[in-house]
Amino acid sequence: MDELRIHAQVHSRYQVLDASGRLPFSIDFGLCRRSPADTDPRPVLFDIARSVLDVPYALAHGLLTLHEQDPEDAKQWVEVDLNRLHRVAAKENEWLSLASPLNRTEHWRNAFRVYQCHVDVNDEVASILEPGKKYIIRLASEDLGVKQLVYSDRERFVDNGWKPSHDTQAVKLVNSKPTAGNATFTFVKSLSSPPRVETRMQLCAAFPSSHPAFVNAKVNVSIVLEVAVLNTGSHSITVQTRGYQRFPIPWGPFRAEPDVEDDRMRIIDATPHKPPTSSLQVIDSATGEVVQANEQHGTGPLTDSNADRRPKTKDVLMMKPGAPVIREIDIGALVDGLVDGQYKIRMQPKGCRWWHGDVVEAEGEDGTVPAYLCGIINLPLLLESQDEVEILMKDGKIAQSM
């Protein structure tokens, strides 16, 4: 049988599988045609049913393997007996297309087609997992389980509803790389959801230049934005306002998705002389274009894998129910240099790590949050606001708020 070699990369969308279903979970596959022998300029179409992309079926029929971490040696993985999955049926037919590598202008790492296979917490696969254990799903071999495919022009695929318009060919789809990633995850009973918080923004009245909120004497504009964040829940929580944030984040084939790993200060941080503006954007009201933003460059600071990443207690803040946390933030540097016109200040959503109660009371001798609390993984508390603060710039200064 003829073979078509592609690059297949398997990974888990999140590194936590939540048995309560609060966090949608999937095993994801990054697929890309990049073999030098692949010279057909046409897209290829194949059915994913009964292939590695049909994860429950693939586990039950040996196309994928499942391993659990040895509790006595974290470097060792023990293959899980999957005989109980022998009755898993294949999913319904679903066709997937991959573009030809010919005439590709982008780097192949940016040309992956990502397919997500949702894992239902009530299906047979989840039933064999044990809470608290860590697992890995791997390709069993180079065989991807596809035995039939069809080449055709893209227009014919589209016109036929992305289904083959003529007979398929007997071609075996195989992985071209000896390593194909790992779908690693920990199975937990339930992830805690944070209470809902409300964030309001407004411009403050004029302040003298000596006001403590003003931190940058070099800019031409001094303007203070008031941000009020309210815990609408019934219990106190502690929120981490800066530094390494540990909560479930979505991953792509090779790395975390853009902008989800952000160690910069959150809008409620109170560090002196450093306004927490990383989540703020300035939008041109006429065009809707983002004209000023504190973009993150790279994926954050590089740290030793063995470094202590526990937050300092000075990097956390307790939020009591019904008591707003108010910050007055100098955003002069954010709007400095804008041409005359009308603008909107908008807040991008940013996630925060959080704990129930006051973790400062449990502060260790080294001034950090204790390790047993740092091991707790919750769904992130999301700081976001629907407010848009409108400003009018004239002669390089703010003429008024709208």
Side-chain angles (χ1 to χ4, degrees):
M1 180 182 291
D2 292 338
E3 293 182 348
L4 174 62
R5 292 190 170 272
I6 68 170
H7 187 148
Q9 190 83 6
V10 58
H11 65 285
S12 52
R13 175 71 171 166
Y14 292 94
Q15 295 183 349
V16 176
L17 173 52
D18 176 20
S20 71
R22 289 192 178 97
L23 183 69
F25 183 83
S26 62
I27 301 298
D28 294 2
F29 297 85
L31 306 171
C32 179
R33 292 167 60 185
R34 60 181 298 258
S35 170
D38 187 354
T39 59
D40 196 308
R42 298 170 299 173
V44 65
L45 189 70
F46 58 91
D47 186 5
I48 68 171
R50 298 179 177 82
S51 75
V52 293
L53 281 68
D54 185 357
V55 172
Y57 179 90
L59 286 168
H61 291 82
L63 293 171
L64 294 172
T65 60
L66 176 69
H67 306 257
E68 69 177 41
Q69 190 176 55
D70 187 333
E72 298 181 358
D73 185 353
K75 295 182 179 180
Q76 299 298 317
W77 296 86
V78 181
E79 187 165 355
V80 177
D81 183 3
L82 298 176
N83 286 333
R84 286 176 288 173
L85 298 179
H86 68 281
R87 294 183 179 179
V88 175
K91 66 180 303 176
E92 294 182 0
N93 290 43
E94 182 178 349
W95 296 85
L96 191 73
S97 69
L98 292 179
S100 170
L102 298 187
N103 303 317
R104 180 184 294 147
T105 57
E106 59 187 341
H107 192 278
W108 64 267
R109 279 179 173 260
N110 299 321
F112 270 76
R113 173 76 183 269
V114 177
Y115 176 81
Q116 298 181 340
C117 181
H118 175 70
V119 176
D120 190 334
V121 294
N122 297 313
D123 69 10
E124 287 197 57
V125 173
S127 70
I128 66 174
L129 305 177
E130 296 183 39
K133 289 192 174 183
K134 191 172 184 177
Y135 295 91
I136 280 183
I137 291 177
R138 297 171 174 154
L139 293 180
S141 69
E142 66 175 13
D143 182 9
L144 299 178
V146 175
K147 302 297 189 293
Q148 301 282 331
L149 51 82
V150 59
Y151 291 94
S152 185
D153 295 331
R154 178 180 177 84
E155 290 75 15
R156 295 184 65 180
F157 282 168
V158 174
D159 293 342
N160 204 47
W162 291 97
K163 295 180 181 180
S165 56
H166 53 274
D167 292 340
T168 58
Q169 304 174 34
V171 178
K172 184 178 181 180
L173 203 62
V174 297
N175 191 27
S176 61
K177 303 293 289 185
T179 57
N182 297 302
T184 306
F185 60 92
T186 300
F187 187 58
V188 300
K189 286 185 177 180
S190 179
L191 293 173
S192 293
S193 297
R196 189 173 66 88
V197 296
E198 293 179 352
T199 304
R200 304 304 306 268
M201 300 191 302
Q202 64 178 3
L203 287 183
C204 291
F207 282 115
S209 59
S210 59
H211 189 277
F214 296 142
V215 298
N216 195 338
K218 296 181 180 180
V219 300
N220 297 321
V221 183
S222 289
I223 176 175
V224 174
L225 181 73
E226 181 185 272
V227 177
V229 182
L230 178 68
N231 173 8
T232 67
S234 57
H235 301 284
S236 296
I237 58 172
T238 300
V239 179
Q240 184 177 337
T241 64
R242 57 179 160 145
Y244 170 65
Q245 300 275 351
R246 187 169 186 248
F247 50 76
I249 59 174
W251 284 76
F254 300 104
R255 62 186 70 88
E257 291 196 349
D259 300 326
V260 295
E261 289 189 303
D262 190 344
D263 296 353
R264 296 176 298 173
M265 294 183 294
R266 300 311 193 243
I267 199 78
I268 54 175
D269 189 84
T271 303
H273 312 301
K274 292 184 178 180
T277 60
S278 64
S279 61
L280 297 178
Q281 294 179 325
V282 180
I283 314 295
D284 188 317
S285 297
T287 66
E289 178 186 359
V290 177
V291 294
Q292 295 274 39
N294 290 302
E295 300 294 342
Q296 180 175 224
H297 301 287
T299 57
L302 297 177
T303 57
D304 188 324
S305 59
N306 296 318
D308 186 356
R309 305 188 77 175
R310 292 177 296 163
K312 301 287 186 181
T313 51
K314 63 185 176 74
D315 299 336
V316 302
L317 167 74
M318 189 172 75
M319 296 183 64
K320 297 180 179 180
V325 175
I326 299 176
R327 295 286 181 258
E328 293 173 348
I329 303 167
D330 180 5
I331 59 171
L334 190 66
V335 301
D336 190 40
L338 293 176
V339 300
D340 290 356
Q342 293 184 358
Y343 299 91
K344 297 177 182 178
I345 299 172
R346 182 183 298 165
M347 179 180 170
Q348 292 179 293
K350 293 290 180 181
C352 294
R353 187 185 202 178
W354 66 280
W355 297 266
H356 293 284
D358 184 3
V359 303
V360 176
E361 294 180 349
E363 177 182 352
E365 295 181 358
D366 55 357
T368 61
V369 175
Y372 75 91
L373 288 173
C374 291
I376 298 174
I377 301 177
N378 296 322
L379 294 174
L381 179 142
L382 196 61
L383 293 175
E384 60 181 343
S385 178
Q386 301 301 315
D387 291 347
E388 291 184 338
V389 178
E390 298 189 357
I391 59 174
L392 175 64
M393 298 294 295
K394 187 175 182 180
D395 299 328
K397 297 181 180 180
I398 293 181
Q400 65 182 81
S401 60
M402 306 301 291

